[in-house]
Amino acid sequence: STNTHETSIRTVLYSAHCNRKQGAKLLKLFDTLETAETNSNMTTQQQERKKDDLTEGYIKTAAHSYVSRASNICGARYVEMKGKSIIYRNTIVRGDFGVPIRIGRYVSIGNGTILRPSYAVTAAPSPPVTKAASAGSSRKPNKGGTSSRRSSGSNKNDTSSTAIATYLPLGIGNHSQIGRNCIIEAAAVGACVIIGNDVVLSKRCILKDCVYVEDNTVVPMDMVIPPFSIVRGCPARIVGELPESATVDFVDMAVQRYNSFVTKGEEEEKEQVC
């Protein structure tokens, strides 16, 4: 510290019996140390202030993920983030349906995107008719003195059923990127998947690993997209194939995107909003 250096140097000056030449050198050294320490403190404060400004408006989780304060995470206990992922502003994650939404590592979810689980409708058969229910019919005497049986409304041949909607978990693999203003209701999004802007992934569709979905694409319900596919159109269709090196490229892009956000968060935020 500055006080420690000052005390040491003053002691040496006193013991030097006012040697002007030696004293001048020591005073110059003292000034140099004091200036260096001041600059070091200023640099540290500036770096901390800059880091706070870069991530302003974001919550940093224990796993080093960044979640925008302007996003809406419904049912947060059902939303799992493995770490080092980014959820940008105005994003809505619907975890309030009671099924898990799992987000892998180095995942980026763009501004204004909606993540909600899909559901499957199944038919639940009506309960079987028991003897007690069939015996619950009532009899009324007719005018002629005979009795007529009134059915309770149950029929052994009744095949009516009730539709039940079951919500399905939603998983997003590692190193995937989702663009702006997308609606994601897929059953699964694999690893190393890049989804453009204004894309709709309809209910229960599945994207395998290493898939590229172009902007303004609408993937229909229950569609399964194989690995290394390039998808385009409304409805979506496979228009090309990615090279095998795309897996490594997409991983590098995801890591670089995260590091760029941490070091230049404000610029990344402007790119997501524009």
Side-chain angles (χ1 to χ4, degrees):
S1 65
T2 304
N3 295 332
T4 304
H5 288 300
E6 184 177 1
T7 303
S8 301
I9 292 173
R10 297 302 179 188
T11 304
V12 174
L13 284 175
Y14 179 78
S15 61
H17 300 288
C18 299
N19 188 328
R20 293 182 179 179
K21 188 173 181 180
Q22 186 178 5
K25 290 182 179 180
L26 292 175
L27 287 174
K28 186 176 180 180
L29 176 62
F30 170 73
D31 293 337
T32 303
L33 292 174
E34 186 178 12
T35 303
E37 186 173 1
T38 303
N39 293 336
S40 176
N41 292 334
M42 291 180 61
T43 303
T44 303
Q45 293 176 358
Q46 289 175 354
Q47 289 178 352
E48 292 179 354
R49 191 180 301 112
K50 183 178 179 181
K51 186 175 181 180
D52 293 339
D53 293 339
L54 290 175
T55 57
E56 184 180 3
Y58 285 84
I59 299 173
K60 184 179 180 181
T61 66
H64 301 282
S65 293
Y66 289 87
V67 180
S68 173
R69 297 181 186 273
S71 62
N72 190 0
I73 310 297
C74 305
R77 63 175 180 169
Y78 291 102
V79 179
E80 303 174 8
M81 300 180 67
K82 289 186 177 180
K84 295 189 176 181
S85 297
I86 306 170
I87 296 180
Y88 287 94
R89 58 197 309 269
N90 299 325
T91 298
I92 300 175
V93 181
R94 298 295 305 273
D96 53 340
F97 288 102
V99 293
I101 297 179
R102 299 182 176 93
I103 301 174
R105 294 174 60 84
Y106 292 103
V107 174
S108 172
I109 302 175
N111 177 41
T113 291
I114 300 175
L115 269 66
R116 59 181 173 225
S118 60
Y119 59 86
V121 178
T122 57
S126 58
V129 180
T130 60
K131 292 182 179 180
S134 61
S137 59
S138 60
R139 295 186 179 184
K140 263 190 173 182
N142 291 336
K143 292 181 180 180
T146 61
S147 62
S148 64
R149 177 169 296 184
R150 184 171 59 188
S151 174
S152 62
S154 58
N155 188 356
K156 292 183 179 180
N157 297 325
D158 186 10
T159 58
S160 61
S161 59
T162 304
I164 298 178
T166 303
Y167 287 96
L168 306 174
L170 171 59
I172 301 176
N174 300 333
H175 306 99
S176 294
Q177 176 185 357
I178 301 176
R180 302 186 300 269
N181 303 318
C182 297
I183 298 177
I184 309 299
E185 294 182 299
V189 176
C192 300
V193 174
I194 294 183
I195 299 173
N197 302 323
D198 303 298
V199 171
V200 176
L201 300 184
S202 300
K203 296 177 179 62
R204 300 179 301 277
C205 68
I206 297 176
L207 276 65
K208 298 293 186 177
D209 296 341
C210 199
V211 172
Y212 180 76
V213 182
E214 297 186 2
D215 296 346
N216 304 306
T217 299
V218 178
V219 180
M221 292 188 297
D222 302 311
M223 182 177 182
V224 179
I225 300 177
F228 298 97
S229 299
I230 301 175
V231 183
R232 178 197 307 158
C234 177
R237 56 191 181 90
I238 299 174
V239 297
E241 186 176 348
L242 294 170
E244 294 182 0
S245 60
T247 303
V248 179
D249 295 337
F250 288 174
V251 170
D252 294 339
M253 289 170 57
V255 175
Q256 185 178 1
R257 187 187 315 113
Y258 175 82
N259 294 333
S260 177
F261 174 83
V262 174
T263 56
K264 296 183 294 184
E266 291 180 347
E267 296 181 6
E268 190 78 9
E269 174 73 6
K270 291 178 181 178
E271 292 178 2
Q272 286 289 329
V273 174
C274 296

